[in-house]
Amino acid sequence: MPDTDTDTDQLRDSDQPGDPDQLRDPDQLRGVVAGFLRRHDRTGDRTAFLRARFDAGLAWVHHPVGLGGLGLPWHLQAVVDDEFTRAGAPDNRPRRNSIGLGMAAPTLLRHGTPQQQRRWLRPLWTGEEIWCQLFSEPDAGSDLAAVATRAERSGDGWLVDGQKVWTSLAHRARWAILLARTSSTGRRHAGLTYFICDMTAPGVQVRPLRQLTGEAEFNEVFLTGVRLPDAMRIGEVGEGWQVARTTLMNERVAIGGRPLAREGGMIGVLADVWRRQPEVRRAGPHQDLLRLWVRAEAARLTALRLRQQLVAGQPGPEGSAVKLSFAELNQLISGLEIEVRGAAGLRHDDWTMRRPEEPDLLGRTATYRYLRARGNSIEGGTSEILRNVIAERVLGLPSEPRVDR
C-alpha cells in the first residue's frame, strides 16, 4: 500500500461524533455542524479545514465513522451541506474530481479493504488527489468486456501493458481506476481484474485528444511495463467485472444524476435567456421550452431517487435510463438555445487549445454548450448500449444474440 501522511485511524477528541440516533434529527445535526464551525477556521487553510471536516464525519454522512461519515441516512447530507454553504465554508470543489467522488469512492467503499479505504478516501474527498478512469480502449469502448490491456503477475505485483482512450482528467490525475485482463481463458468477463494505477509511475504516458470545442479534456493513456503492487488490486483476481459494475452504475448516475436544484443545469440557462431577453420569445420555441422544462424536472427527481438507492446499496440498471435522459436533454436544450438566440448563439468565445480541469457547460457560450453536449451520448456508455441495457434489464425484453470473441 502506498505511503501517506493522511491516515485517520483516530478522530480528534473534540470532533468525536455524537449518538447516531440523536443525529438523525436534522436540528441535532445542525448543532454538530455549528460546533465544528466554531472550532475550525473556515477562512484559513482550505485543505486543513476539509481534512478536519472529513475526520469529523461531515464529508459523507452515510459513510461509516472513520471514513468521512457518521453512519447516518444519505438524505441528511443535504442538511450538512446547506449549513456549510450558509456559513461560507470552502467546499471540496467536487467538479474538479468528479470521477474520484462519483465513481472511485463508492467502489472503494463497497469493494476495497479497510487499508485501501483509509489510504484513499480522505485525500480523494478533500481534493488533494484527483482520479481518472482507465476503462475504455480503442477496440473496447462500448464493449468493455473486450478490454485487451494486460496485467501479468511479476513477483509480488503486476506488470501492465496496454492503451486506454477517452480518459477525462488523466492530465490532472494522481490515481486511476483501471480494468485489465489477467486471463485469456474462459468467458471474457471472467478474465478481468480491477486495480488502482499510480498515474505518476514509470511507463504511464498521457497524450491529449483535442475535441470539437477546441479543448482537450480527454486523453489517451499508454501503459508500458507499469508496475503495480498487489495491494493496489481491488477485489479478487478475475472478478474485476463485478467490481467494475459498481463503478459503471455509479458513473451513469454521476454523469446524469448529479444533485441539482429545480431549474439547475442547462435548462436553467435556457430559461434565464427566455426571461431576460423578451426579443427571443416566440410561440413555437415557448412550447418547446415548456416541454423540456417538464422533462428536466422529471429527470432531476428520478436522479434524486436513484442516488438514494445507490447509497442504500441497491444499485440497478435504472442508472442507464437517467444517463440516457441526461444526454438527450442536454442536446435538445442546447439546440433550442441556439435556435432561440439566433445569430448571437453562433458566436464561440475561444477555440484556444486548453486542457481544462472540467467541462464548463454553464459558464461558456451557447455554441460551446451545443458542441460539448454531443459528447454526452458517448461518455459513460453510448446511448445505443444504454438502450440495450434498459430493454433487457429493466423491461425484460429478450437479449440480442452475442458472440464472445
Side-chain angles (χ1 to χ4, degrees):
M1 186 68 58
D3 293 333
T4 178
D5 60 359
T6 58
D7 282 340
T8 58
D9 291 333
Q10 298 294 326
L11 296 176
R12 289 168 41 170
D13 291 341
S14 60
D15 285 333
Q16 287 285 347
D19 184 339
D21 289 335
Q22 292 183 359
L23 294 180
R24 291 172 183 267
D25 180 344
D27 288 335
Q28 293 283 345
L29 190 55
R30 290 187 185 99
V32 171
V33 176
F36 177 89
L37 289 168
R38 286 193 296 270
R39 293 189 299 272
H40 299 279
D41 181 10
R42 61 184 178 275
T43 64
D45 185 290
R46 180 190 196 94
T47 300
F49 181 88
L50 292 172
R51 288 175 178 174
R53 179 176 166 181
F54 183 95
D55 295 348
L58 298 172
W60 291 297
V61 296
H62 60 282
H63 276 215
V65 172
L67 297 178
L70 298 172
L72 298 176
W74 174 81
H75 71 270
L76 291 172
Q77 185 67 48
V79 175
V80 170
D81 290 342
D82 286 348
E83 292 302 303
F84 278 106
T85 300
R86 188 175 296 113
D91 65 10
N92 60 353
R93 298 171 180 160
R95 293 183 63 189
R96 289 180 63 246
N97 200 14
S98 56
I99 293 170
L101 294 166
M103 303 173 213
T107 304
L108 283 166
L109 187 65
R110 183 167 183 183
H111 298 282
T113 65
Q115 294 81 4
Q116 290 167 339
Q117 292 166 351
R118 288 196 299 270
R119 164 59 187 95
W120 278 303
L121 286 176
R122 189 189 196 222
L124 185 160
W125 187 84
T126 62
E128 295 170 79
E129 295 179 343
I130 306 300
W131 288 65
C132 66
Q133 179 188 25
L134 298 177
F135 276 27
S136 294
E137 298 181 3
D139 294 318
S142 297
D143 184 11
L144 191 57
V147 159
T149 293
R150 292 199 59 82
E152 297 186 353
R153 283 281 192 183
S154 176
D156 59 353
W158 301 82
L159 282 179
V160 181
D161 291 275
Q163 179 186 356
K164 300 292 184 174
V165 74
W166 313 125
T167 308
S168 301
L169 299 175
H171 56 294
R172 306 282 188 187
R174 175 67 175 81
W175 301 103
I177 47 179
L178 166 68
L179 196 61
R181 184 162 301 283
T182 50
S183 173
S184 299
T185 60
R187 293 181 59 82
R188 296 179 302 163
H189 295 79
L192 300 171
T193 302
Y194 197 109
F195 297 93
I196 302 298
C197 178
D198 183 350
M199 292 297 289
T200 69
V204 177
Q205 183 183 22
V206 179
R207 299 179 187 172
L209 290 171
R210 194 171 188 187
Q211 299 152 237
L212 194 62
T213 59
E215 297 183 339
E217 65 187 84
F218 298 126
N219 304 270
E220 54 184 345
V221 179
F222 296 87
L223 306 164
T224 307
V226 178
R227 183 172 293 278
L228 301 180
D230 192 55
M232 294 170 71
R233 171 173 49 82
I234 306 296
E236 299 299 323
V237 176
E239 295 185 3
W241 184 254
Q242 287 74 17
V243 182
R245 285 183 62 189
T246 297
T247 302
L248 294 171
M249 289 173 183
N250 282 278
E251 175 185 30
R252 287 158 190 169
V253 178
I255 292 175
R258 290 174 180 154
L260 292 173
R262 176 176 288 189
E263 237 180 62
M266 289 177 64
I267 192 64
V269 175
L270 179 55
D272 189 61
V273 170
W274 191 269
R275 293 188 182 106
R276 291 175 179 270
Q277 301 181 30
E279 69 276 9
V280 306
R281 299 175 192 166
R282 301 186 304 280
H286 188 211
Q287 293 302 310
D288 293 336
L289 171 59
L290 292 175
R291 279 191 287 269
L292 290 176
W293 195 99
V294 171
R295 283 188 60 181
E297 180 63 6
R300 183 184 75 86
L301 295 174
T302 301
L304 178 63
R305 177 175 177 270
L306 185 58
R307 290 182 71 86
Q308 292 172 334
Q309 287 180 301
L310 283 172
V311 172
Q314 302 168 351
E318 298 88 351
S320 297
V322 168
K323 195 272 173 179
L324 177 64
S325 176
F326 164 83
E328 291 183 345
L329 271 170
N330 271 1
Q331 291 173 0
L332 290 170
I333 291 168
S334 62
L336 183 57
E337 183 185 3
I338 292 284
E339 179 184 345
V340 164
R341 287 181 181 270
L346 299 177
R347 300 192 189 105
H348 188 41
D349 55 350
D350 193 355
W351 292 101
T352 302
M353 160 68 166
R354 296 191 185 93
R355 304 188 76 186
E357 292 186 351
E358 61 189 44
D360 184 11
L361 286 173
L362 306 184
R364 298 286 297 280
T365 63
T367 305
Y368 174 87
R369 282 187 283 277
Y370 179 81
L371 295 175
R372 180 58 183 83
R374 302 306 100 186
N376 291 157
S377 53
I378 301 173
E379 59 194 343
T382 66
S383 293
E384 293 79 8
I385 292 297
L386 297 185
R387 288 189 179 95
N388 278 346
V389 172
I390 295 166
E392 296 171 14
R393 299 183 57 201
V394 178
L395 302 178
L397 300 177
S399 61
E400 295 180 352
R402 291 188 176 94
V403 178
D404 281 347
R405 295 177 182 172

